[in-house]
Amino acid sequence: MSNKELCASSCERVVSVRNGARIVWVDVARGVAMLAILLFHTEMRYAEGEIIPYSMYVENFLALFFFVSGYLFVSPKRQFTLRGKLVSIAKRLVVPYVLFVSLMAVPKAYAHGDDLTLWSFIGGLVSGRASWFVSALIVVSLYYALVEHLLCRLVKSRGHVHDLLLTLFVVLPLCCVLPLHVDAASIPGVSAIAVLFVHAGRLYRQAETWIDSRLDVSALRKWLLVAFAVIALFVLKGYEICNDVNMTFYVIIIDSYPLFYADTLLFCLLAVTVLKSIPYTFAVRPLVWVGAHSLVYYFVSGGVPIIVSRLMPPFDGTCYGLVLLAFVLVCLVASAITWVVYKFFPWAVGRW
């Protein structure tokens, strides 16, 4: 078998192997991103501050989550319907958000030493700040679904006109919300930033066959492009760190939006290209499982590191191995909780 055929076979295997109706590389992407978020939260809770700079990886993996959501937003094998998408959003996002935020309200307030009142609970729930990523994903999904429905009614064929109008509607929130200098912790502001990643994922899926065909022409060309992208990404990261450029996704502290999108979108394309080339082996299965159950991992990603950090010996700032040990414990505890939820309470995560 030639190198070209071997590369194509490997990519096809990762893309086509499914866990039920799931695309394996997508779950691997979510799994890796979720582990990155758990590491960040472990550092923040156990070491009481980030050790690896936030701008080195956190913003990128958050963007990757939104990018993958856009990739899955419309299936090429299923016709889009507004009703079907709204039902899906309600089952898989809204219901879990309300349930988990409600169940974790008291433990979360106790862990942070906050006074919990009925109004503070309702305020956090309705504003979305109780779990910013999921609430932003809900807002983005609803907006994107409504725009898609509107354009399907106005533009009969899904061609370049449809994509151009959809892109304009995607950029519109960013142009309207951010100049208003909204509260840095507002979900509308985060959603306006995130919707572009969802749209990028959607456009990538539409062009996926063409992109893969160009990359699979030559393995050497493909990995030279990957190497060039890695170098470009490190140059961007180096510039950001040397010049103290803020790139915080939430709360919103972004000094340069062009740099922010260049960094994160380049990373998304690089991550997808690499992950699609990884063969589906036994070693990859844990990442697939984490990615397939990433919603619950995210809900517990804040609380579990707090619990583990209180059980660990104090961190003196000299041995990063203790942070890694805490991270392993966080992963194990979060995995146990996630397994219990999906095993005994699947309705809580939209499986009903």
Side-chain angles (χ1 to χ4, degrees):
M1 182 180 290
S2 66
N3 289 336
K4 176 183 174 182
E5 292 172 332
L6 183 63
C7 180
S9 175
S10 175
C11 292
E12 182 179 358
R13 182 166 61 253
V14 176
V15 173
S16 62
V17 172
R18 292 175 179 269
N19 187 6
R22 308 187 71 91
I23 302 173
V24 170
W25 76 260
V26 168
D27 282 330
V28 174
R30 284 175 165 170
V32 174
M34 194 65 252
L35 293 182
I37 301 305
L38 287 174
L39 176 61
F40 171 70
H41 284 174
T42 300
E43 286 190 352
M44 293 299 293
R45 299 305 178 187
Y46 181 53
E48 297 183 351
E50 62 185 45
I51 298 176
I52 303 174
Y54 178 100
S55 60
M56 282 297 294
Y57 70 107
V58 181
E59 72 203 38
N60 301 91
F61 284 109
L62 289 171
L64 184 60
F65 265 121
F66 286 112
F67 185 92
V68 169
S69 296
Y71 179 88
L72 298 174
F73 194 86
V74 176
S75 171
K77 297 182 179 180
R78 297 180 182 178
Q79 184 176 2
F80 171 84
T81 64
L82 180 60
R83 182 180 182 278
K85 180 56 66 174
L86 292 179
V87 170
S88 176
I89 294 171
K91 287 176 59 177
R92 300 182 182 279
L93 291 176
V94 177
V95 171
Y97 170 77
V98 174
L99 285 175
F100 279 93
V101 167
S102 300
L103 289 172
M104 297 171 61
V106 174
K108 185 176 181 179
Y110 174 78
H112 289 280
D114 298 331
D115 294 328
L116 180 65
T117 65
L118 178 61
W119 292 115
S120 64
F121 164 72
I122 294 176
L125 181 69
V126 174
S127 68
R129 299 183 184 186
S131 183
W132 75 266
F133 177 83
V134 178
S135 55
L137 186 57
I138 291 172
V139 173
V140 170
S141 299
L142 289 173
Y143 176 78
Y144 205 77
L146 291 172
V147 171
E148 177 71 20
H149 175 71
L150 175 63
L151 292 181
C152 286
R153 300 289 294 272
L154 297 177
V155 183
K156 299 302 180 182
S157 61
R158 291 187 177 180
H160 296 303
V161 174
H162 176 277
D163 292 339
L164 177 59
L165 290 175
L166 188 57
T167 302
L168 291 176
F169 274 104
V170 165
V171 176
L172 184 62
L174 194 64
C175 297
C176 294
V177 175
L178 297 183
L180 298 177
H181 301 288
V182 296
D183 180 4
S186 73
I187 300 305
V190 178
S191 302
I193 295 171
V195 70
L196 196 146
F197 296 112
V198 172
H199 185 55
R202 162 75 175 280
L203 293 180
Y204 175 84
R205 186 163 196 173
Q206 291 180 195
E208 184 175 19
T209 301
W210 182 86
I211 294 173
D212 288 345
S213 66
R214 294 299 181 275
L215 291 176
D216 288 342
V217 169
S218 168
L220 177 61
R221 177 193 296 180
K222 175 179 180 178
W223 293 110
L224 282 176
L225 287 173
V226 168
F228 177 78
V230 170
I231 294 172
L233 187 62
F234 271 97
V235 170
L236 291 175
K237 294 295 185 186
Y239 176 84
E240 292 165 16
I241 293 175
C242 292
N243 292 277
D244 294 323
V245 181
N246 291 310
M247 293 288 175
T248 307
F249 214 122
Y250 184 86
V251 294
I252 306 171
I253 309 176
I254 299 175
D255 293 337
S256 172
Y257 282 94
L259 184 59
F260 172 78
Y261 281 115
D263 181 328
T264 48
L265 288 174
L266 176 61
F267 174 82
C268 288
L269 293 174
L270 176 62
V272 170
T273 302
V274 172
L275 292 175
K276 289 176 71 173
S277 302
I278 297 175
Y280 181 56
T281 62
F282 180 79
V284 176
R285 291 181 185 177
L287 287 175
V288 173
W289 194 89
V290 173
H293 304 85
S294 57
L295 182 63
V296 175
Y297 273 96
Y298 184 81
F299 281 122
V300 303
S301 65
V304 171
I306 294 177
I307 297 172
V308 170
S309 64
R310 293 181 177 178
L311 298 176
M312 291 282 294
F315 179 67
D316 59 6
T318 60
C319 180
Y320 192 74
L322 286 175
V323 176
L324 294 179
L325 176 59
F327 169 64
V328 171
L329 293 176
V330 165
C331 291
L332 292 175
V333 174
S335 297
I337 295 173
T338 301
W339 180 84
V340 169
V341 171
Y342 276 88
K343 178 69 174 179
F344 299 103
F345 309 101
W347 50 268
V349 286
R351 298 191 175 185
W352 45 277

